[in-house]
Amino acid sequence: MSRSAWVGLVVLVLASSVADLGWAHPRTLDRSRQVHSDRSIADRSLELPTWDQIRQVLLLGDYNVRVVILGTTLLGCAAGMVGSFTLLRKRALMGDALAHSTLPGIVLAYSVVTLAGGNGKTMPVLLAGATLSGLLGVGVILAITRWTRLKEDTALGAVLSVFFGAGVALLSISTQFKEGNAAGLESFIYGKTASMGMADTQMIAGAAAFCIVTCLLLFKEFKLLCFDDGFAGSRGFPVVRLDMSLMGLVIVVTNVGLQAVGLILIIAMLIIPAASARFWTESLGRMFLISGGIGAAGGLLGAVVSALFSKLPSGAMIVLVCTGMFLISMIFGSARGLVVRIRNRRLLNRTVNRQHLLRAMYELWEPSATHAGPSATAARSESVSVEALLKKRSWSRIRLLREIRRSQRDEMLDAVDGRLRLTKRGLVEAARLTRQHRLWELYLIHHAEVAPARVDQGADTIEHVLEPQIVAELESLLDREQAAVPASPHALVSEDTLTGTGEF
Amino acid sequence: MPGWSWQLDGWIVCAGVLCAVAASLLGNFLVLRRMSMLGDAITHAVLPGLAVAFFISESRNSLPMFLGAVLVGVLTALFTEWIRRFGRVDEGASMGVVFTSLFALGLVMIVQAADHVDLDASCVLFGAIEYTPLDTFQVAGLEIPRAVAVLGSVAILNTVFVIVFFKELKFSSFDPALATTTGFHAGLMHYLLMVLVAITSVAAFESVGNILVVAMFIVPPAAAYLLTDRLERMVLLSVILASASAVLGHIAAIEIPGWFGFRSTTTAGMMAVVSGIVLFLCAALGPRHGIATRYIRRRLLARRILADDIVALLFRWEENAGSPNLSAADIGRLLLCRKWTLGVAFRRLVRSGELELDGDRFALTEIGRKRAQNLVRSHRLWESYLQDSAGVDVDRVHVPAEMLEHFTDSQLREQLGKETEAAHTDPHGRPIPEEVPEQS
């Protein structure tokens, strides 16, 4: 393959990345060219910042750095807050489609104003074009999902690519105008984080304040919209208008974000903080605040890191900081994080195993106890072999032995020459569990008309989650308010099968 | 056509068509699996793959780059799936997290070497399809553009894949759980599809730019989906629509700016736009699901029902009292119908010879009476049937009968007659008229 093949691929991507994220702030680029022009192409070492630089950045000594950090922090906060609603409304990728669909509007607004003799490259003109075109894009997406049988993802992708294609085609024409100069028009949507000026920051601050205030004012309405729009409609909330205002907020964030920090970054900032916040809480109010906080922290840290290392582009660093926080949240999140979920599952498994073991012990001991007399619960139980337990249900030896050890530690069981016996405490607990199990079985037989041979399985799964109130209800329903354990309504794994193996 | 040269434009169109075919073939299954945005995600996310391949091979060889990009493309799909499953994050959000993160990562990596690469920002995003004929190599004595060769191989690969695994793809797209229980490996098909999507994205990247690949993945299959309910036809239609969009897109790129006095514009962009127009047309005019088609069909039905209601009303009026016929205003009042709509319906009925105007009053002709008699028969048969066999209360039989009468043919009436044991009166005590043979 030829050398041009390589250029075709990498340079292409490079160029798109420059355009997409706007790292190529001329000042940085020129400086690094001068400094590193003698370095090999594969030399990727980072230059560590000097103490002076670190102090300068951390104390916000440099005016430029101060402005950039402030801007990205505010933007991150606003995007995180708006993003938490769009995420819950399952519209996370709407920002992506929206950001792409602003291009034709920008170019058209520029063209119209330029051809009319004005200066097309002013902020209000371009912003107006971007907003109109974004609104049109959202409208088309909503129309497609509503009136055709295409799904939302297809509508998003179609609008994104067709609008962007139209924008590209228009852009190519607009560069041919004799009047005006279209060069750099696309940088409006590809951003210029590092060279953000005070004017940009002021605009971001204004937009962020607007978004945050709107979110707070419409918090209840948006909450309803996200969780149950049908219910909201039936209560008389103007669902369509609320939906439109939420999309309007996304457009505001996207627009200020686009020209400040670029296409991919603004998509990331709308999605990642909200997705991270979701791992920490089940309450929308808290998620809203956490998401804003993560967005702000991402903007702040990313900008600081990029200010410290001149070779790290700020837009990309902000995204990566957010991604780091996402990974941390996904693993350690206190509400839905992996660690918490795995721990909960483990605890549940242990409880289930313990309860199965105790009931199995009780049922093996039960026949001999009935011979001994009614005061059996008070007496110590007969010993039971591990082999007998193993046959009682389909559990592996390892699982059984592990649970036996654990129960011994909790003084539920004790072992006498390889045979097991319930302790007094264990017996009480085992009797309670067996009673619950059988009450449920009786309930199924008498009130749900399930055949006695089939009740065991149903009761087996539900016995672990029976709450005391439910047990009390079962007792009164079945007229069994005395504490005795009722006899099993079906045949247990019989002693014949056990003695047949020669263990007894 | 002015300025058309087969040497240049021929190859450009050829590359465009091949890319469109390759992408839309796979796109059908992405659209059906609700993963349309994956193409977009992958074209953005391949960046770190390119960077790592470049750093490892330390060369500008394109094969490692290609492999690296495809690998990361597959990883994008994999990570999206993992985050969705283990983190319980909504699919769109997990895709958004993955592709933006990978893009940023790749950017950070590649910036380290960027000082040494000459950049031309405009050639990428907007697709370099115009430069296709410039980069050629020899195959069997023919000078073929590299992009055409690459895209051609990808298109062939995708075609073979879709044909060989058509049954598996179909099954696992519509019901992955059932596919797995019947012994197909739905997961394997999923990842094979992901690999091919990644290959296609990367290969098409350089010839048409990423946005157009995304367009060709989604838009033609979406348009085909609106035209048909059968997967075979959908795949075929999507390929045809995609090729047509590519050809027309290039022509439009050359021609349309000329109308306003400009030179040609970006071919890739115009191809996307044309495919969008095709989608719009299909959404509006599709034979079964088109918005306009559905609207027209509904209007036609409304018109027929109104005509039915008019003749049935006149029939009942005659039957009741034999009183003077009704005027237009009376009918409008009784049928709660606007004057204008009613006027159109009258004119139509008079023209078809079912009504005649007697002074300012309307009367049924013989033809009209036949139609009305059968309608009223249907109505009353339904009422009897609903009361006798479906146990519906007498007060409630009228409304469903009113709806069903319009869709009841002579065969159904015969069956209803049998079910109601040839009842002579309906539950309200009115006589059920005899069946009259339809006029031939």
Side-chain angles (χ1 to χ4, degrees), chain B residues 169-404:
Chain B
L169 280 170
K170 185 178 183 176
F171 210 178
S172 58
S173 296
F174 287 109
D175 195 339
L178 183 65
T180 307
T181 55
T182 42
F184 289 105
H185 205 311
L188 183 68
M189 290 319 296
H190 179 84
Y191 287 114
L192 266 180
L193 186 63
M194 293 305 102
V195 170
L196 284 181
V197 167
I199 291 176
T200 311
S201 306
V202 177
F205 210 92
E206 53 177 330
S207 75
V208 290
N210 50 11
I211 286 300
L212 189 57
V213 197
V214 181
M216 287 305 169
F217 268 128
I218 304 168
V219 185
Y225 183 60
L226 294 174
L227 293 180
T228 174
D229 289 337
R230 300 208 54 85
L231 183 60
E232 293 85 349
R233 270 181 232 155
M234 178 178 161
V235 173
L236 207 63
L237 274 174
S238 73
V239 169
I240 294 169
L241 292 177
S243 315
S245 315
V247 176
L248 291 176
H250 186 57
I251 294 174
I254 297 174
E255 285 293 304
I256 292 177
W259 301 346
F260 305 99
F262 296 109
R263 292 186 307 282
S264 65
T265 178
T266 328
T267 292
M270 283 313 281
M271 287 179 173
V273 172
V274 171
S275 70
I277 295 171
V278 168
L279 174 62
F280 175 78
L281 290 177
C282 291
L285 305 174
R288 282 189 62 185
H289 307 286
I291 299 167
T293 322
R294 275 199 317 241
Y295 179 77
I296 291 170
R297 212 183 295 133
R298 186 166 294 180
R299 301 298 311 188
L300 287 176
L301 181 63
R303 209 162 73 185
R304 186 166 70 80
I305 288 178
L306 180 62
D308 281 354
D309 285 347
I310 292 172
V311 292
L313 176 72
L314 285 168
F315 182 86
R316 288 195 177 100
W317 200 260
E318 279 179 4
E319 180 190 59
N320 240 10
S323 61
N325 290 319
L326 290 167
S327 71
D330 294 332
I331 295 178
R333 200 161 23 86
L334 286 167
L335 291 180
L336 302 172
C337 184
R338 266 179 302 171
K339 219 170 168 182
W340 191 78
T341 326
L342 208 58
V344 175
F346 283 141
R347 236 169 293 141
R348 206 167 288 279
L349 284 168
V350 170
R351 204 181 312 146
S352 64
E354 287 167 288
L355 280 192
E356 55 190 6
L357 201 55
D358 177 16
D360 64 337
R361 287 165 191 275
F362 286 98
L364 286 171
T365 64
E366 207 46 47
I367 310 173
R369 194 162 295 116
K370 276 184 187 166
R371 175 179 177 178
Q373 188 168 339
N374 279 343
L375 266 168
V376 173
R377 179 175 160 80
S378 306
H379 181 94
R380 293 185 182 161
L381 278 174
W382 271 116
E383 286 188 338
S384 320
Y385 174 78
L386 285 172
Q387 193 201 18
D388 297 349
S389 307
V392 179
D393 198 57
V394 185
D395 299 336
R396 296 177 176 242
V397 292
H398 174 73
V399 175
E402 187 73 17
M403 289 183 209
L404 290 166

Side-chain angles (χ1 to χ4, degrees), chain A residues 325-354:
Chain A
M325 290 195 268
F326 174 82
L327 289 178
I328 293 173
S329 309
M330 179 163 148
I331 296 170
F332 300 108
S334 57
R336 314 176 120 206
L338 283 176
V339 172
V340 170
R341 288 218 322 268
I342 290 173
R343 206 194 58 206
N344 285 347
R345 162 153 291 215
R346 230 205 208 142
L347 284 179
L348 179 67
N349 274 346
R350 276 189 197 177
T351 323
V352 168
N353 280 345
R354 160 76 51 90

Side-chain angles (χ1 to χ4, degrees), chain A residues 1-24 29 32-33 36-46 86-87 89-93 96-97 100 103 115 143-144 146-151 153-173 175-178 186 190 263-265 267-268 271-272 275 278-279 311-313 315-317 319-320 323 326-327 330 336-338 341 345, chain B residues 30-31 33-37 40 44 46-47 50 54-55 58-63 65-66 69 82-83 85-97 99-105 107-126 128 135 146 150 202-203 205-207 209-212 214-216 218-219 221-229 257 261-266 268-270 272-273 275-277 279 283 289 291 294:
Chain A
M1 299 247 198
S2 64
R3 176 173 176 255
S4 54
W6 186 84
V7 178
L9 217 58
V10 163
V11 173
L12 232 67
V13 179
L14 268 173
S16 78
S17 44
V18 174
D20 263 15
L21 263 160
W23 61 273
L29 196 63
S32 54
R33 276 236 168 97
H36 309 299
S37 54
D38 55 334
R39 281 164 55 171
S40 116
I41 196 165
D43 181 1
R44 298 177 298 280
S45 59
L46 281 175
T86 51
L87 180 87
R89 202 144 165 64
K90 300 206 189 302
R91 291 255 173 87
L93 286 177
D96 190 4
H100 281 95
L103 185 60
L115 289 181
I144 290 179
R146 190 165 165 184
W147 287 320
T148 76
R149 56 190 195 140
L150 294 174
K151 305 291 177 299
D153 64 313
T154 312
L156 284 176
V159 165
L160 177 152
S161 51
V162 172
F163 272 61
F164 199 78
V168 166
L170 286 170
L171 190 62
S172 159
I173 292 179
T175 52
Q176 301 171 21
F177 291 164
K178 289 180 193 67
E186 65 267 33
Y190 303 134
L263 194 73
I264 298 294
L265 172 58
I267 299 167
I271 299 176
I272 301 182
R278 188 72 188 87
F279 290 112
K311 281 187 87 183
L312 297 179
M317 284 323 291
V319 178
L320 288 181
T323 309
F326 174 82
L327 289 178
M330 179 163 148
R336 314 176 120 206
L338 283 176
R341 288 218 322 268
R345 162 153 291 215
Chain B
L30 293 183
V31 166
R33 287 159 185 248
R34 305 194 182 184
M35 300 193 307
S36 309
M37 292 300 276
D40 178 47
H44 282 103
V46 294
L47 202 56
L50 296 177
F54 174 58
F55 291 149
E58 299 241 326
S59 75
R60 302 178 160 193
N61 192 339
S62 62
L63 190 65
M65 315 288 299
F66 190 80
W82 283 352
I83 291 185
R85 195 186 305 160
F86 298 123
R88 298 195 185 165
V89 179
D90 166 49
E91 170 110 42
S94 76
M95 194 179 278
V97 171
F99 91 83
T100 54
S101 303
L102 282 174
F103 186 85
L105 182 68
L107 192 63
V108 170
M109 289 161 90
I110 221 151
V111 161
Q112 312 306 321
D115 308 346
H116 306 270
V117 185
D118 297 318
L119 296 179
D120 175 12
S122 68
C123 81
V124 176
L125 255 164
F126 316 152
D135 175 20
R146 208 185 47 81
V150 171
V202 177
F205 210 92
E206 53 177 330
S207 75
N210 50 11
I211 286 300
L212 189 57
V214 181
M216 287 305 169
I218 304 168
V219 185
Y225 183 60
L226 294 174
L227 293 180
T228 174
D229 289 337
F262 296 109
R263 292 186 307 282
S264 65
T265 178
T266 328
M270 283 313 281
V273 172
S275 70
I277 295 171
L279 174 62
H289 307 286
I291 299 167
R294 275 199 317 241

